Amino acid sequence: MKIGLCLKALLRAVVISLICTADIRAQSVVPGEWLVQLESGSKPLSLLEALKAHLNTTLEKLPQQPAVTNSLLGRISIKPISTNLNTWLISVPQPLEVSAEWVAAQKEVVLVQPNHYLTQRTNPTPNDPLFPSQWQYLNMGLNDGIPGADLDAMEAWSHTTGGLSAAGDTIVIAVIDGGVAYNHPDLSANLWKNWKEKPGDGLDNDDNGFIDDFLGWNVFSQSDLIQGFSTTHGTPVCGIVGAQGNNNIGVTGVNWNIKIMFVSGGVTVSSILAAYDYVLQSRKKYNETNGAQGAFVVAVNSSWGIDFGMPFEAPLWCQVYDELGAAGILGVAATANMPVNVDEVGDLPTTCPSDYLISVSSLTNKDLIAPTAAWGQTNIDLASYGEQVFTLTSTD
């Protein structure tokens, strides 16, 4: 089993799918306020008088009392903002309204824009007590590391910490590994559950071809016993993908709030293909039912491989990534745990030619390829932090 944990690929896949700014911009406009730049040397007195006359015409058409009209007009103001730019702030009390087009049409106005509220760009820091040890997110030189040799997670978290896509889909990342400690207090809340399945009734309630797959799937036992045959690797991987963040417990994941679909599989190519099939069927079901069933899986991580393997030896394995990609799933795979050039000696699956597979090597806290990690200019897409990273253990 390989340990290049594929962090940055998953981070990018999830973050890109979550950021949506149009509604935020609309909500940040200060009602009734415009910033205007006047021609050099111009004063705003004539603009203020023209504005009051314009709005007075509007008020005359409304059943307002003269006292109300005078009060509203008296609250219109133009205040200096920048002497160098000759910029002023127009404030119009509600319910009065003035359009940007009207302001821009005035002869002394050079530029006009809405006034907006700002958000302080402080990077959120989770309150998880062991977060300072997680140098892979914020490297301050711990363990003789190089400051800044990290995922820049703080910058990503200033945009999103996971959860829903811009369209409101619950984002799911699949992990194929030996097993997971599904009762781990820092992980259990973020593990995906198939709520369309009634656990333990011996039926395929959601008609997806899998019986009682409430917690996920175990390809060996044909059940949802996702603790599998070993939790020592799958639990740390899941901890990096999505240990619950900012919950005052243990560590945090790349995503503080995410759903992790765990599939116990590997050991043989047949079982890894069966594991991918469960993931693919879940996303296809989601697509076909417009989100009523299945899961919105956006990426799947696997740390299984064949040293020195060649794509022609496993065409079905390589084909899987194209099938996943067609359904909307990005495949992520760790390359070999040995200092070799896989372009020359081969590796599976990281030399598969699919456009939907990201092949990942492992970095140290000094931004160097790990001593036991493979590389390849053609087949390895990126390297991320996988050498002595700090994450969950399998102890729950």
Side-chain angles (χ1 to χ4, degrees):
M1 214 185 317
K2 304 175 185 179
I3 60 170
L5 299 178
C6 313
L7 308 181
K8 190 164 284 187
L10 291 174
L11 179 65
R12 287 175 175 172
V14 174
V15 168
I16 290 170
S17 67
L18 288 176
I19 297 174
C20 180
T21 59
D23 288 343
I24 295 173
R25 284 197 297 268
Q27 294 169 5
S28 69
V29 172
V30 182
E33 293 193 358
W34 298 93
L35 289 164
V36 295
Q37 183 183 41
L38 304 182
E39 292 178 346
S40 179
S42 294
K43 297 297 182 182
L45 295 179
S46 60
L47 176 60
L48 177 60
E49 293 304 317
L51 177 59
K52 288 183 177 180
H54 172 68
L55 292 174
N56 186 50
T57 301
T58 302
L59 286 171
E60 288 177 348
K61 299 177 183 179
L62 300 175
Q64 300 279 4
Q65 297 296 324
V68 174
T69 299
N70 292 334
S71 175
L72 289 173
L73 294 176
R75 289 160 53 196
I76 298 172
S77 66
I78 298 183
K79 300 177 182 178
I81 296 297
S82 171
T83 301
N84 290 329
L85 298 177
N86 198 19
T87 298
W88 303 75
L89 176 65
I90 295 177
S91 297
V92 177
Q94 295 180 307
L96 298 181
E97 293 183 359
V98 62
S99 68
E101 290 77 14
W102 183 90
V103 177
Q106 305 312 300
K107 61 179 182 179
E108 63 265 63
V109 173
V110 178
L111 292 172
V112 59
Q113 70 174 66
N115 195 18
H116 287 82
Y117 294 109
L118 301 181
T119 299
Q120 188 174 7
R121 295 281 177 81
T122 56
N123 291 324
T125 301
N127 59 21
D128 307 271
L130 298 180
F131 172 72
S133 298
Q134 295 188 278
W135 62 265
Q136 66 267 24
Y137 302 145
L138 179 62
N139 192 340
M140 305 295 288
L142 186 68
N143 299 328
D144 199 32
I146 296 177
D150 55 46
L151 285 176
D152 292 333
M154 302 288 284
E155 286 80 355
W157 292 337
S158 69
H159 293 287
T160 180
T161 54
L164 301 177
S165 73
D169 305 285
T170 297
I171 296 174
V172 180
I173 294 177
V175 173
I176 300 173
D177 217 296
V180 64
Y182 63 87
N183 287 324
H184 197 294
D186 213 9
L187 191 61
S188 59
N190 280 353
L191 289 175
W192 173 82
K193 292 180 176 61
N194 182 6
W195 296 107
K196 298 298 181 180
E197 191 75 16
K198 183 179 179 180
D201 68 353
L203 301 174
D204 181 11
N205 304 109
D206 60 352
D207 195 31
N208 69 346
F210 302 90
I211 296 174
D212 288 342
D213 59 321
F214 179 68
L215 297 177
W217 195 241
N218 183 321
V219 302
F220 306 106
S221 65
Q222 293 291 288
S223 70
D224 69 347
L225 298 175
I226 58 174
Q227 70 268 32
F229 58 84
S230 173
T231 63
T232 58
H233 188 271
T235 303
V237 169
C238 288
I240 289 175
V241 172
Q244 189 174 13
N246 209 42
N247 65 345
N248 277 306
I249 298 175
V251 299
T252 189
V254 170
N255 304 279
W256 298 4
N257 302 290
I258 197 74
K259 293 304 175 187
I260 302 170
M261 172 187 286
F262 194 88
V263 185
S264 179
V267 181
T268 62
V269 173
S270 60
S271 66
I272 202 72
L273 292 181
Y276 277 122
D277 183 64
Y278 181 79
V279 175
L280 181 57
Q281 294 293 353
S282 297
R283 178 59 193 265
K284 281 187 171 181
K285 195 78 170 179
Y286 191 90
N287 295 345
E288 292 165 358
T289 63
N290 197 28
Q293 296 181 21
F296 186 65
V297 185
V298 299
V300 54
N301 180 81
S302 177
S303 300
W304 298 92
I306 300 177
D307 296 337
F308 310 114
M310 295 292 183
F312 69 84
E313 299 175 284
L316 290 174
W317 193 354
C318 291
Q319 181 183 343
V320 163
Y321 297 107
D322 288 336
E323 299 293 333
L324 290 165
I329 303 173
L330 178 68
V332 183
T335 195
N337 281 339
M338 58 179 67
V340 296
N341 185 341
V342 298
D343 293 347
E344 298 174 356
V345 304
D347 182 67
L348 283 172
T350 59
T351 60
C352 287
S354 175
D355 290 337
Y356 302 101
L357 171 65
I358 293 182
S359 299
V360 186
S361 187
S362 179
L363 288 175
T364 70
N365 63 358
K366 294 181 174 63
D367 266 343
L368 300 174
I369 294 291
T372 57
W375 65 89
Q377 185 174 354
T378 299
N379 289 291
I380 304 303
D381 299 296
L382 57 87
S384 194
Y385 304 97
E387 178 78 5
Q388 297 182 339
V389 293
F390 195 92
T391 180
L392 297 181
T393 68
S394 59
T395 302
D396 56 12

